[in-house]
Structure formats: C-alpha cells, structure tokens
Amino acid sequence: MATQTNKPAFSGIIPPMVTPLLSDNLSLDVEGVKHLVEHLVSGGVHGIFILGTTGESTSLSYKTREQLIVESCKAVNGRVPVFVGITDTSIEESVHQALVAHNAGAAAVVAAPPYYYGLGQEELYKYYWSLADQVNLPLFLYNMPSHTKINIDVKTVVRLSEHQNIIGLKDSSANAVYFQSLCYLLKTNFSLLVGPEEITAETVMMGGNGGVNGGANLFPKLYVALYDAAMAKDFARIEELQDLVMEISTRIYTVGSYGSSYLKGLKGALSALGIVNGNIAPPFTTFDEKEMTKVIANIKDIEIKVAKVL
Amino acid sequence: MATQTNKPAFSGIIPPMVTPLLSDNLSLDVEGVKHLVEHLVSGGVHGIFILGTTGESTSLSYKTREQLIVESCKAVNGRVPVFVGITDTSIEESVHQALVAHNAGAAAVVAAPPYYYGLGQEELYKYYWSLADQVNLPLFLYNMPSHTKINIDVKTVVRLSEHQNIIGLKDSSANAVYFQSLCYLLKTNFSLLVGPEEITAETVMMGGNGGVNGGANLFPKLYVALYDAAMAKDFARIEELQDLVMEISTRIYTVGSYGSSYLKGLKGALSALGIVNGNIAPPFTTFDEKEMTKVIANIKDIEIKVAKVL
Amino acid sequence: MATQTNKPAFSGIIPPMVTPLLSDNLSLDVEGVKHLVEHLVSGGVHGIFILGTTGESTSLSYKTREQLIVESCKAVNGRVPVFVGITDTSIEESVHQALVAHNAGAAAVVAAPPYYYGLGQEELYKYYWSLADQVNLPLFLYNMPSHTKINIDVKTVVRLSEHQNIIGLKDSSANAVYFQSLCYLLKTNFSLLVGPEEITAETVMMGGNGGVNGGANLFPKLYVALYDAAMAKDFARIEELQDLVMEISTRIYTVGSYGSSYLKGLKGALSALGIVNGNIAPPFTTFDEKEMTKVIANIKDIEIKVAKVL
Amino acid sequence: MATQTNKPAFSGIIPPMVTPLLSDNLSLDVEGVKHLVEHLVSGGVHGIFILGTTGESTSLSYKTREQLIVESCKAVNGRVPVFVGITDTSIEESVHQALVAHNAGAAAVVAAPPYYYGLGQEELYKYYWSLADQVNLPLFLYNMPSHTKINIDVKTVVRLSEHQNIIGLKDSSANAVYFQSLCYLLKTNFSLLVGPEEITAETVMMGGNGGVNGGANLFPKLYVALYDAAMAKDFARIEELQDLVMEISTRIYTVGSYGSSYLKGLKGALSALGIVNGNIAPPFTTFDEKEMTKVIANIKDIEIKVAKVL
C-alpha cells in the first residue's frame, strides 16, 4: 500500500434527513426542506445526510432527488457539511448524482451496494473501486445488508479503504461485531459512523466516529448531547439520554407491523411535533388513524421528557 | 368480485432480451438491438420482453432504458408483442416508463416489486393496485424473490388478479409448488409465464402459458420447439429438446462462481455465436479469458447438437 | 469414476408417514401406527417413509423414534419397503438409528444434512460420504433447505452419487430447476423422489421416480393414481387428480398462519377422517377450535370428491 | 403482572466451554475436561457454560452429553456455577437433560429455540413457557438466530421474563440494537449476557451483565480483566485489552472459509497452547496443516502479548 495522504475526517451526529413531501406523496416540499434544515442546524448537528434510506431516496424520482440536493445545500448554506446518497443500481446514475452534489456544494457522497442483483465480494470490491474513481467528491461506503442483500465484508472494506477517495463507512447492519472489527482494523484515516441510534453511545465509546441517527430529525439536540456524553465518557449523562433514545426506539418505531414501521413512525412523529408534514412516498403510506393516535400520544409524552434533560 | 371482461392473453416463448451494449458497457448498441430482434423474430418467438433481469434493466441509465424501448419497438415493428419491464423503486419512474412504452407501441408492461425496502404483503398489494391504476398498458406481475427480497404470495396474486389491468404473472422463483398453486387458482383469464427455461416444458404441460426463457436469446427455435412439443404432449420430442436446454443450463450458466454466472455465460455465449457482443453493464463484468474459453468451447459444441434436432 | 454395480431402485408413492401420538403428545400411539400402516399399504403405496419432517422425527425422543421404527416395520411386515429417517445433528445417533432400522428390517435410510451448524458444501460432502460408509443400509440424501439452512448443491449430489451406498435423493426444496438439473445429470442408477405433492405429476413426467407426499397419509389411492397417470402420460386423468391434490394443498395446509400450518392441517384432517388422532408433539400444538372447524368442513368436502374419482 | 420474587442473578465471564474429545472425535476426553475446568476456574471465570454452540452440544451423542454434565460438575465441584445447555428439537430430551444437570449440581440450564422446524413467535413463546414449567433449574433463553433460524423477538423475551423460572438470556445474535432494547426494557431481575466477545466491553458498559465468550477458553484472565475494566469504566485498560480480544477474533477465528472457522480456530489454538487437544466432532473436522500452521503462529504471537498485559 502506498503512503496515503490524510483523508477528510467527519464525525458527530449527522442525521439522515427525512424528505418532506407535498400531499401528492411525490413532489418535494421545498418549504419543508428549509424548515427541517433550520431545525437540524440549529440543533447543533455536525452534518446532514440526504437521500439515505430514511430519506426515501429510492422511492423518489430522479428529478426530485436532484431538486432535493440543490435545495438542501442552498438551505444549509455551508454551515455544516452535506452528505448526499447516490446509491443506485445504475452506476451511470450514481455518477451523475454525485456530479449534481458536487456542483451544489456537498461535502461527500454515500453509496450502498447496488441492490438488485446479488453480488459477490470481489464484484462488490471492483464496483466500489470504479465508483470511487468516477466521482469527484469523497465517498462513504454504506453497509445496509437488510436492504441490499449483501454485507460489505470486513476484508472488502479494508481493501477499499486503500482507495484515496473512499474515506469512511456508515454501518446500518446493527452487527456490533462487524463494527468492532472495522474499528480495530481501521483505526486511523477512516470515518466509521453507525446508523442505529440505539448503539451510537456504545460505538462512539469504543472508537466509532459518530451516528447517522434517524431520531435526530425529531430531537437533534438529544443526539448531539448523547454523542458529547459518549465522547466525554460521562456515564450518568449517557444513561439519562440513552433511556430517551430507547424510548423513542421502542415507542415510536415499532407501532406498526412490517419493517416500514420505523419510517412511518418517524414521519408520523415529525408531523405530530409540527416539524414537517408526514407524507410518505410509495410503496409506503402513512400510518392509519389508530396507529397515528398512538404515535401522537407517545411522542408528545417523550417531547416533555426530552425538554427536561436538555 | 364483479364480472370481468376478458383480459388480453399472451402465451408461448417470450425471450427476456439481453441488452446489447457498446464497449463502454453503458451505451446502447443500436445495431445490436436490430440484429438481435431479427434473430428472435425470425426464430418464431411469440413476443419479446425487454428490460427484465436478463436485460440488465436496473443497471442501465434511464436514458438508455428509454432508448431501448423506442429502438426495440421500432425494430419489432408490430410483428410480435413487446413487453417492457418497468420495475423500479420509484413508482413515478415506473409510470413514466410505462408511458414511454405505450407511446412506442408496446403491448404490455411488467413490474417486479419495488426492491429496496422490505415490504409486507398488504403493502405490496396496495402498491401493485395503485401501479395498475396508473399505467395505460396491461400489467404483468413479476415474481423474483431472490432479487426483490419478497415473494408475491399466492393470496396476493389472487387478490391482484381482480384488477382489470393486471393480466398475468411471470414467475422466476423456480418454486414449482407456487406455480402450481397459481395454475390451480387462476385457471382462466390470467397468463402464467415461467422464467427458468429448465421448467418451461413441465409447467406448460401442467397448465402454464409459456416461458420467458433467457436461452431463447441464443436459440429461439429450440425453445419454441420445446413449447410446441409441450403443448402437443409429444414426449419423445420433449425429451430430446429438454436435454439440450439442460445442457445449456449446466454448461453455460454455471461456468463462474456467483449468481452473475448466468448473465455472464449468456452474454458470453451470444458473443461466441456472433449474435451480439458480450459487453455487460456494471456492477458486472464479462468473464475472464479462462472462463470465456470454456463458454466458447461449450456453446460451439451445443450449437452443433441444436442444429441437428431443429 | 469406477464402474458401479447397480444400486437398488425405488420409485412410486412413498408417503412420509405421520407419527400417531397419544394424548400426552409425546408417547407413540402403537395402535394408531398399526391402523395407519394398514391404511397406507391397502391404499397401494410403494413404500413408507417414517421419521421424516412430516413424521415429526426431530420432535420425538430417541426412545420413541426407535419404538416407531420397530413397530412400523413389524406392522408393514415386508409388504412394502420401509424407509427410515436418520437425520440428526450427531452422526453417532444417526448411525445408531440406522442400525436399529437395519435390525428391524427397513429397506433404506434417509438423512437430511445436520441442521444446527451452517455447513459449507465441502463439509457437507465429507459428512455424507462418511455417513454412507458407516450405515449398513442404502442411503437417500434428503434436501430440505428451508429446515436445514443448506441446499445440497447439484454438484455435491453428483459427487455423492458416486458412493455405492448412496442411492437416491428426496428433494423437498420445491425448486424445480434444481430437480430438473438432477434428472438431467443423474439419469440412471439414482432414485430421484420429490417431496411436495403439488409437483409429483410434473416431475414424474419429466423423469423423476416418485413422490414422498404428505397427503398420501389421507388418501393413498389418490396419489398412487396420480403417479400412475403421470407414468402413463394420461393427461385427462392427471388433470382430474391434480385438481384434488391442489384442493388439499390450498384448503387444508394453509388454514393457519406460520409454516406449521401444513403439519397441523394434515394431522387435523387425519383426525377428522378418523384415520388417526391428531395429537402433535411440541414445539407445535394442534389447531384451535376455529381452525379445526374449517379443516373438518374442508376435508369432508374433499373426501366426497376424492371418492368420486377413484 | 404479579409481583415477582427475586430471581437468581448471574454475571461476569461465563465461558462456553469447548468439549475435549478423544481422537475418535466422538468420545469425551475426561482428563481434558478436568484440565480445562482447572484452567478456567483458576483463570477467575464467574461460571462455566457447557453444551453450548462452542461446546458442540448438538454434534455429541446423548450419552456423551450426559457424561460431560456429570464430569464437568464433578470437576468444578461447586467453585463456580455451572450452566448446562439443553437445547434440543425434542422437548422430552431437553427436560431429561435438565434433570441430569440438576442431579449433577448445575446452577441453571440454557436453551436455544428448537431448531429444525420454523416457528412463529407465538409458538416459540408457548414452547419456552412450557419448557420453563418442566425443568427444575432456572432457565436462560439463548438467542442464536443464525443457527436456529428464529430470533427470539424483544416482545417475546419481555413476555417470557414474567415466568418465575426464566431468569435471563444469552444473546449470540451480535445485533446490538436488539441487546440495547432488552437492556432498556428489562433493567432489573433478568440477566443479560452477550455471546460474541468482541462486544462484551461495550454491552457491559451499557448495562449488560456479562459475556459468554469463546476466547475465554484460551485466556480466561484476559476476558475477566476486560469485564472488570468495563465494570470499572477504565477506558485505558479497556482499550488495551479490547485490542487483544480483537486480535484473537481477526487472526484466529477467520483463518478458514465457512462459518466453522471460529470453532476450528478456537480448538486449533487450544491445542497449540497445550490446553486441550483439538479434536472436533463431525460434521466438522480440524483445520488442515496449512491452516493450522497459521493458527499456531498467530496464537503463539498473541500469547506473548496477552502475558504482557495481565
């Protein structure tokens, strides 16, 4: 391996921003984007990640995705780095979207494996290496095996970390052994971010660089405080905040059946708190009235508790 | 259920056409499309299905997909019905692609489930019903659980068959119990096509309506003859032809490791026979030299045997 | 490959016998065994397979398994060959059970892969070769990937077929491409039996040797007639009988939720028809009253239809 | 929920003891058991768990399992609590094995879900409740979805925790979100132990009660020290020890292909260090010479590093 120059390092709480939609469930709610960006930036987040799984990227038309890139970067206006998801089954579309991101002023792009065909690790390695060659922004790998059907194996990540343009990985597998293996093998010059907010505290304490946590759309300050507490190894504070994070996890994200319960719960709660409306793009739909009643009651209750500790 | 008027019925061998690409592995090889269409139509196929899994639809840019729709329909020029894959994670893009297909003169559209998020059956049902409402061509369901992570359950298919615009299903699960259940429950007014060519003969004999067989890109007449023999219940002929189909399956599609071996073998063999070039879009690449040597030798051998029985 | 002497060949309908249990859901109902064996033998079956998945083998104590082997062989009394499941995670227990089977007069043993650890194909190959060396009855492989987490790959089966003591395979994968590949590659000197009754007709027509069909516990004559029709390629008869097989499949095996619905439906129907009682060993339980009411109504209705065609 | 009396609480490092075997790969190496028990007890472990996945329980005959229970309890002689795995597909055998454990003086039994049939959560709940009723030792649930095909869902665990005789859970899923959910919902009166040693430190810091860590067979003092450091929140010490744990994980457990690499690496390393011989029961075999050479070199190297920090 040739000597590498330092890669740009990112850390902290970088929420995977939900995509505010108009009532047709397809068109971008531009005012909603502006409002949500303000909510996040004023909440102290260290970056914003748009067009991820929480952002419903794959459900949006390409036109809408591009519009979101432009509007988000404009609203953020350089105050924090913007990360843009370019996950796609077509590498040509990924490269194009990275160009749009670059032109809009984004800081980095993020790509999960192509998710239609089943790939082997060697195929995946070649794919990412080629993608990294073709985009002119730093690239984050995005491990999301439940959705892409493939795990980016530890050995593959280590090999890919040698590419100058691949600067980190977001892991949404929830597999803590996987994450610890990466922390151990890639101690320097590579940003390791974790998806599930339930484990941001423990991974940060063990060497992780931060969290791409959906719940930070609701209460950015809560997750920033948890990250700060984990960095400071302030266990009393961690325990207090972790309890609230777990309350959100267990009372908001699991109200419905199916895996979509997380997204429906999150957007439902955002709507209940008046942050942005809760419209969801197909193939999903918003919760029905009975489920929403529950989400509203739970999030209002949690909101009070969050206010108390911040 | 209200009385239904008759739905358009499709049957026979409808090859999932490979997409000929130029040497950049991205751009459409328009001359190749014309040549392949002639090869297929003159081979007696009953229809052509473009932009399926074999057609690398998800690996192509949207511009290329649209170009392929237009060029294919032009080349076919009404001689056989053209089926257009509109599988997408964004319903807006699916609907748009169906419009392009309609304008180009296609006969029907084909959609696998949205393949990023994990869906529940009820969510899948609503998705398809809504999609069928929005497209102005008849819609085939496309069951492909290995790639989409969800099986369109028998009960869901039965419910969806009540939609006037949903006229059939292509099943690529290889699960013969599933296929027999559909044959039994949907005996009339619904076209049931099978993907894997290894089981076209048996499913047609048991009530299936035909095969969407990749190998028909190579030898369209072979698969048409097998279909005819199955319809005629001519067992001596079936046995003779089935052996050749199995030889293609076991000597061409499994040369490499990984699931991509089918596509690489098929495109490699097409190239070896001089039908179209073998370029493959990322995330895949063509076989390496050692594998190609094997594919070439095997397909040349098979070609001679096929010529003898046709 | 050295020249092989001929292996014993088995074909036809070989029901996977349910295990009649007393009301403690643990002890063998010896009278039930005798009654069921008579029901099957007088129904014309070509063999009886005990201690398979339908026989709840893994749920029974070893003492009960041995008792069942002895009692079944005694009741059959040489009229048809008895196949004994020896599937186990401990090879020592498998070998011991094969010895019990041998001493009781069984014709062959049947083993699915060890089903706790995840194995690789090479490990599986070595395991089966060693097992075949150690048992003194002919051995059938049993492919059951949904339960054992591993598919016995086509290449592994072909390699194992070279063992003089491995004489066939029962495939319960429902994957017809897999089955056709085996039919093509192992045309002679190897018995290929299919598990799911929904596809016995088509696999027999394409070269398969018979069916290990759970529904034959209910109506042995129906499945024997279907096998005969498939062998005779009598399509009118196949269609008539296949419809009844599919009616059993869709109206008896899918009454409950969960994968256990097949077993609960089958035992419930056997009880409703007065053939044997419907007790089920843990971890399962019999259907509740509402589900049983449905099973009873459906099977009574089907019984009348079956009587008409036989 | 009725008021519960306090349940026995277990915590700390409780190694899943490997099972020393003679060179027939089947019979218990009784001297090896005694030697290994001394190695572990003198290493300061807080308990010993026999007949788990690392203990090859499912590969052993019942006679050998019982012998191991008796010999282990005798060797331990009350110095630390002994946990006995009773995982089985037959509840009758599980209950019997629990009785043997009770008579031998074991402290608790541990059961993973029955692992042949696919169960639903409600079926799993009833199974465990019934099992807990029938055993006369406290019962630990054992979540091992990769081997049993079913996750004991959070809601199911919470419901089962209401049984007086169900006192804890060992989680080998590596899913840290799952573990955090249990930590949050079951803060008191329930022992939560984690399987993978790579995450013992972080889970203990977040409220977990200890680790059932395979590597503790090699270096019990290392894992006890890590547990102590995690309890003391001594981060400098955690970092130093965690690095060694990760070195074992990445250099010993992943030498071969296949999932069996962990077990083969662990037993190979134990043999290299002269602790116990490395014989493995079928369906597995020991590493070949090339792999063993690597394991030996790596573990000797690690041994020196471990000695330095303890």
Side-chain angles (χ1 to χ4, degrees):
Chain A
M1 187 174 75
T3 315
Q4 294 197 342
T5 56
N6 279 346
K7 296 175 177 179
F10 294 103
S11 60
I13 297 299
I14 302 164
M17 195 174 86
V18 304
T19 301
L21 297 173
L22 296 180
S23 56
D24 64 359
N25 297 314
L26 296 171
S27 310
L28 193 66
D29 173 2
V30 177
E31 288 310 307
V33 171
K34 289 179 191 168
H35 187 74
L36 183 53
V37 164
E38 285 314 307
H39 175 64
L40 297 175
V41 172
S42 68
V45 300
H46 306 87
I48 291 179
F49 169 39
I50 60 169
L51 291 171
T53 304
T54 301
E56 297 174 81
S57 171
T58 56
S59 304
L60 306 175
S61 75
Y62 282 77
K63 194 172 138 278
T64 303
R65 293 184 212 183
E66 294 192 15
Q67 190 186 6
L68 176 65
I69 297 170
V70 172
E71 294 296 341
S72 299
C73 288
K74 203 194 295 180
V76 170
N77 197 21
R79 290 175 288 174
V80 294
V82 176
F83 300 76
V84 175
I86 59 167
T87 303
D88 209 293
T89 56
S90 157
I91 199 168
E92 211 175 343
E93 298 290 355
S94 289
V95 170
H96 175 70
Q97 204 153 304
L99 186 65
V100 174
H102 176 264
N103 293 343
V109 290
V110 183
Y115 48 97
Y116 184 70
Y117 294 110
L119 268 69
Q121 290 294 321
E122 186 62 26
E123 291 172 332
L124 187 62
Y125 169 76
K126 284 182 186 162
Y127 166 81
Y128 267 126
W129 197 273
S130 167
L131 181 65
D133 279 346
Q134 294 179 59
V135 297
N136 51 4
L137 281 175
L139 173 65
F140 265 81
L141 309 177
Y142 181 0
N143 192 41
M144 188 56 158
S146 62
H147 289 57
T148 65
K149 303 187 299 278
I150 185 169
N151 196 62
I152 314 176
D153 281 357
V154 168
K155 287 175 189 173
T156 304
V157 176
V158 171
R159 289 173 69 199
L160 287 170
S161 72
E162 296 180 19
H163 194 293
Q164 181 58 33
N165 205 28
I166 298 178
I167 64 165
L169 174 137
K170 179 202 168 186
D171 178 34
S172 291
S173 72
N175 185 324
V177 173
Y178 175 81
F179 198 82
Q180 277 309 308
S181 299
L182 294 177
C183 284
Y184 172 69
L185 295 169
L186 297 168
K187 288 204 173 183
T188 55
N189 215 19
F190 203 75
S191 287
L192 291 167
L193 306 174
V194 79
E197 56 213 66
E198 297 87 348
I199 58 176
T200 293
E202 69 191 85
T203 51
V204 166
M205 284 193 292
M206 297 299 291
N209 300 105
V212 183
N213 304 149
N217 282 282
L218 292 162
F219 305 112
K221 288 176 186 167
L222 171 65
Y223 294 82
V224 170
L226 181 63
Y227 171 75
D228 290 343
M231 288 298 287
K233 272 117 193 185
D234 178 346
F235 276 88
R237 185 69 170 151
I238 289 173
E239 197 179 336
E240 180 181 52
L241 301 171
Q242 174 77 5
D243 270 4
L244 287 167
V245 166
M246 292 312 303
E247 197 167 337
I248 293 166
S249 171
T250 53
R251 295 181 69 196
I252 303 296
Y253 299 163
T254 56
V255 165
S257 356
Y258 301 143
S260 57
S261 193
Y262 158 72
L263 187 61
K264 293 173 181 176
L266 179 58
K267 279 205 148 175
L270 282 164
S271 153
L273 294 180
I275 297 169
V276 290
N277 74 61
N279 301 319
I280 294 186
F284 294 135
T285 51
T286 50
F287 272 145
D288 62 24
E289 202 184 313
K290 193 183 147 198
E291 292 165 320
M292 264 310 288
T293 305
K294 214 165 156 183
V295 166
I296 293 168
N298 289 353
I299 198 67
K300 293 284 186 188
D301 182 33
I302 294 168
E303 187 184 28
I304 293 165
K305 294 183 186 172
V306 169
K308 277 185 191 154
V309 301
L310 292 183
Chain B
M1 186 172 75
T3 316
Q4 292 196 341
T5 57
N6 280 346
K7 295 175 178 181
F10 295 103
S11 60
I13 298 298
I14 302 164
M17 195 173 87
V18 303
T19 301
L21 297 173
L22 296 180
S23 57
D24 65 357
N25 298 313
L26 295 172
S27 310
L28 195 65
D29 173 2
V30 177
E31 289 309 308
V33 171
K34 290 178 191 167
H35 187 74
L36 184 53
V37 163
E38 284 315 306
H39 175 65
L40 297 175
V41 172
S42 69
V45 301
H46 306 88
I48 291 180
F49 169 39
I50 60 170
L51 291 173
T53 305
T54 301
E56 297 173 83
S57 170
T58 56
S59 303
L60 306 176
S61 75
Y62 282 77
K63 193 174 138 279
T64 303
R65 294 185 211 183
E66 295 193 14
Q67 191 186 4
L68 177 65
I69 297 170
V70 171
E71 294 296 341
S72 299
C73 287
K74 205 195 294 179
V76 170
N77 197 21
R79 290 176 288 175
V80 294
V82 176
F83 301 75
V84 176
I86 60 167
T87 303
D88 210 292
T89 55
S90 157
I91 200 167
E92 210 174 343
E93 298 290 354
S94 290
V95 170
H96 175 71
Q97 204 154 302
L99 186 65
V100 174
H102 177 264
N103 293 343
V109 290
V110 183
Y115 49 97
Y116 185 70
Y117 294 110
L119 268 69
Q121 291 294 321
E122 186 61 27
E123 291 171 332
L124 188 61
Y125 169 76
K126 284 182 185 161
Y127 166 81
Y128 268 126
W129 197 273
S130 166
L131 181 64
D133 279 346
Q134 294 179 59
V135 296
N136 51 4
L137 282 174
L139 173 65
F140 265 82
L141 309 177
Y142 181 0
N143 192 40
M144 187 56 158
S146 62
H147 289 56
T148 64
K149 303 187 299 277
I150 184 168
N151 196 63
I152 315 175
D153 281 357
V154 168
K155 286 176 189 175
T156 305
V157 177
V158 170
R159 289 173 68 199
L160 287 169
S161 72
E162 296 181 19
H163 193 293
Q164 181 57 33
N165 204 29
I166 297 178
I167 64 165
L169 174 137
K170 177 200 168 188
D171 178 34
S172 290
S173 72
N175 185 324
V177 173
Y178 175 80
F179 198 82
Q180 278 307 309
S181 299
L182 293 178
C183 284
Y184 172 68
L185 295 169
L186 296 169
K187 289 204 174 185
T188 56
N189 214 19
F190 203 74
S191 287
L192 291 167
L193 306 175
V194 79
E197 56 215 64
E198 298 86 349
I199 57 176
T200 294
E202 68 190 87
T203 51
V204 165
M205 284 193 290
M206 297 300 291
N209 300 104
V212 183
N213 304 149
N217 283 282
L218 293 163
F219 307 113
K221 287 176 188 167
L222 172 64
Y223 294 82
V224 170
L226 181 63
Y227 171 76
D228 290 343
M231 288 298 287
K233 270 120 194 184
D234 177 346
F235 276 88
R237 186 70 171 148
I238 290 174
E239 198 179 334
E240 180 180 51
L241 302 170
Q242 174 78 4
D243 271 3
L244 288 167
V245 166
M246 291 311 303
E247 199 168 336
I248 294 166
S249 171
T250 54
R251 294 181 69 196
I252 302 297
Y253 299 163
T254 55
V255 165
S257 353
Y258 299 144
S260 56
S261 193
Y262 158 72
L263 187 61
K264 293 173 181 176
L266 179 57
K267 279 205 147 177
L270 282 164
S271 154
L273 294 180
I275 297 169
V276 291
N277 73 62
N279 301 318
I280 296 187
F284 294 136
T285 50
T286 50
F287 272 146
D288 62 25
E289 203 185 310
K290 193 184 146 198
E291 293 164 321
M292 263 311 287
T293 304
K294 213 165 157 186
V295 165
I296 292 168
N298 289 353
I299 198 67
K300 293 285 185 188
D301 183 33
I302 294 169
E303 186 183 28
I304 294 166
K305 294 183 187 174
V306 169
K308 278 186 190 151
V309 302
L310 290 184
Chain C
M1 186 174 73
T3 316
Q4 293 197 341
T5 56
N6 279 347
K7 295 176 177 179
F10 295 103
S11 60
I13 297 299
I14 302 165
M17 195 173 86
V18 304
T19 301
L21 296 173
L22 297 181
S23 56
D24 65 357
N25 298 313
L26 295 172
S27 310
L28 193 66
D29 173 2
V30 178
E31 290 309 308
V33 171
K34 290 178 191 168
H35 187 74
L36 183 53
V37 163
E38 286 314 307
H39 175 64
L40 296 176
V41 173
S42 68
V45 301
H46 305 87
I48 291 180
F49 169 39
I50 59 169
L51 291 172
T53 305
T54 301
E56 296 173 82
S57 171
T58 56
S59 303
L60 306 175
S61 75
Y62 281 78
K63 194 173 137 278
T64 302
R65 293 185 212 182
E66 295 193 14
Q67 190 186 5
L68 177 65
I69 296 171
V70 172
E71 295 295 342
S72 300
C73 288
K74 204 195 293 179
V76 170
N77 196 21
R79 291 175 287 175
V80 295
V82 176
F83 300 76
V84 175
I86 60 166
T87 303
D88 209 292
T89 55
S90 157
I91 199 169
E92 211 175 343
E93 298 290 355
S94 290
V95 170
H96 175 70
Q97 203 153 302
L99 185 65
V100 174
H102 176 264
N103 293 342
V109 290
V110 184
Y115 49 98
Y116 185 70
Y117 294 110
L119 267 69
Q121 290 294 321
E122 186 61 26
E123 292 172 331
L124 187 61
Y125 168 76
K126 284 182 185 162
Y127 166 81
Y128 267 126
W129 196 273
S130 166
L131 181 65
D133 279 345
Q134 294 179 59
V135 297
N136 50 4
L137 281 175
L139 173 65
F140 265 81
L141 310 176
Y142 180 1
N143 192 41
M144 188 56 159
S146 63
H147 289 56
T148 65
K149 302 187 300 274
I150 184 168
N151 197 62
I152 314 176
D153 281 357
V154 168
K155 287 175 189 175
T156 304
V157 177
V158 171
R159 289 174 69 198
L160 287 170
S161 73
E162 297 180 17
H163 194 294
Q164 180 58 31
N165 204 29
I166 298 178
I167 65 166
L169 174 136
K170 177 202 169 186
D171 178 34
S172 291
S173 72
N175 184 324
V177 173
Y178 175 81
F179 198 82
Q180 277 309 307
S181 300
L182 293 178
C183 284
Y184 171 69
L185 295 169
L186 297 168
K187 288 205 171 180
T188 55
N189 215 19
F190 203 76
S191 288
L192 291 167
L193 306 175
V194 80
E197 56 214 65
E198 297 86 348
I199 58 176
T200 293
E202 69 190 87
T203 52
V204 166
M205 284 193 291
M206 297 299 291
N209 299 104
V212 183
N213 304 149
N217 282 282
L218 293 162
F219 306 113
K221 288 177 187 168
L222 171 65
Y223 294 82
V224 171
L226 180 63
Y227 171 75
D228 290 342
M231 288 299 288
K233 273 121 192 182
D234 177 347
F235 275 89
R237 186 68 171 152
I238 289 173
E239 197 177 336
E240 181 180 51
L241 301 171
Q242 174 77 4
D243 271 4
L244 287 167
V245 166
M246 292 311 304
E247 197 166 337
I248 293 166
S249 171
T250 53
R251 295 180 68 197
I252 301 297
Y253 298 164
T254 56
V255 165
S257 355
Y258 301 143
S260 57
S261 193
Y262 158 72
L263 187 61
K264 293 174 180 176
L266 178 57
K267 279 205 148 176
L270 282 164
S271 154
L273 294 180
I275 298 169
V276 289
N277 74 62
N279 300 319
I280 295 186
F284 294 136
T285 51
T286 50
F287 272 146
D288 63 24
E289 202 185 312
K290 193 183 148 199
E291 292 164 320
M292 263 311 289
T293 305
K294 214 165 157 185
V295 166
I296 293 168
N298 289 353
I299 197 67
K300 294 283 186 190
D301 182 31
I302 293 169
E303 187 183 28
I304 294 166
K305 293 183 187 173
V306 169
K308 278 184 191 153
V309 302
L310 291 184
Chain D
M1 186 174 73
T3 315
Q4 294 196 339
T5 56
N6 279 348
K7 296 176 177 179
F10 294 104
S11 59
I13 298 299
I14 302 165
M17 195 174 85
V18 303
T19 301
L21 296 173
L22 296 180
S23 56
D24 65 356
N25 297 312
L26 295 171
S27 310
L28 194 66
D29 174 1
V30 177
E31 290 309 307
V33 171
K34 289 177 191 168
H35 187 74
L36 184 52
V37 163
E38 285 314 307
H39 176 63
L40 297 176
V41 172
S42 69
V45 301
H46 306 86
I48 291 180
F49 169 40
I50 59 169
L51 291 173
T53 304
T54 300
E56 298 173 80
S57 171
T58 57
S59 303
L60 307 175
S61 75
Y62 282 78
K63 193 173 138 279
T64 302
R65 294 185 211 182
E66 295 193 14
Q67 190 187 5
L68 177 65
I69 296 170
V70 171
E71 295 294 341
S72 299
C73 287
K74 204 195 294 180
V76 169
N77 196 21
R79 290 176 288 174
V80 295
V82 177
F83 300 76
V84 176
I86 59 166
T87 303
D88 209 293
T89 55
S90 157
I91 200 168
E92 211 175 343
E93 298 290 355
S94 291
V95 170
H96 175 71
Q97 204 153 303
L99 186 63
V100 174
H102 176 264
N103 293 344
V109 290
V110 184
Y115 49 96
Y116 185 71
Y117 294 110
L119 270 69
Q121 290 294 321
E122 187 61 26
E123 291 172 332
L124 187 62
Y125 169 76
K126 284 182 185 161
Y127 166 80
Y128 268 125
W129 197 273
S130 167
L131 181 64
D133 279 345
Q134 295 179 58
V135 297
N136 51 5
L137 282 175
L139 173 66
F140 265 81
L141 310 176
Y142 181 0
N143 192 41
M144 188 57 159
S146 63
H147 289 56
T148 65
K149 304 187 298 278
I150 184 167
N151 196 63
I152 315 175
D153 281 357
V154 168
K155 286 176 188 174
T156 304
V157 176
V158 171
R159 288 173 70 199
L160 287 169
S161 72
E162 296 181 19
H163 193 295
Q164 180 59 32
N165 204 29
I166 298 178
I167 64 166
L169 175 136
K170 178 200 168 187
D171 177 34
S172 290
S173 72
N175 185 323
V177 173
Y178 174 80
F179 198 83
Q180 278 309 308
S181 299
L182 293 178
C183 284
Y184 172 68
L185 295 168
L186 296 167
K187 289 204 173 184
T188 54
N189 215 19
F190 202 75
S191 287
L192 291 167
L193 305 175
V194 80
E197 57 215 63
E198 298 86 349
I199 58 177
T200 294
E202 69 191 87
T203 51
V204 165
M205 283 193 292
M206 296 301 289
N209 299 104
V212 183
N213 304 149
N217 282 281
L218 293 163
F219 306 112
K221 287 176 188 167
L222 172 64
Y223 295 81
V224 170
L226 181 63
Y227 171 75
D228 289 343
M231 288 298 288
K233 272 122 193 180
D234 177 347
F235 275 89
R237 185 71 171 150
I238 289 173
E239 198 179 335
E240 182 180 48
L241 301 171
Q242 174 77 5
D243 271 3
L244 287 168
V245 166
M246 292 311 303
E247 199 168 335
I248 294 167
S249 171
T250 54
R251 295 181 69 196
I252 302 297
Y253 299 163
T254 56
V255 165
S257 355
Y258 299 145
S260 57
S261 194
Y262 158 71
L263 187 60
K264 293 173 181 176
L266 179 57
K267 279 206 148 177
L270 283 165
S271 154
L273 294 179
I275 297 169
V276 290
N277 75 63
N279 301 317
I280 295 186
F284 294 136
T285 50
T286 50
F287 272 146
D288 62 25
E289 202 185 312
K290 194 183 145 198
E291 293 164 320
M292 264 310 289
T293 305
K294 214 165 155 185
V295 166
I296 292 168
N298 289 353
I299 197 67
K300 293 283 185 189
D301 183 33
I302 293 169
E303 188 184 27
I304 294 166
K305 295 184 186 171
V306 170
K308 277 186 190 150
V309 302
L310 290 184

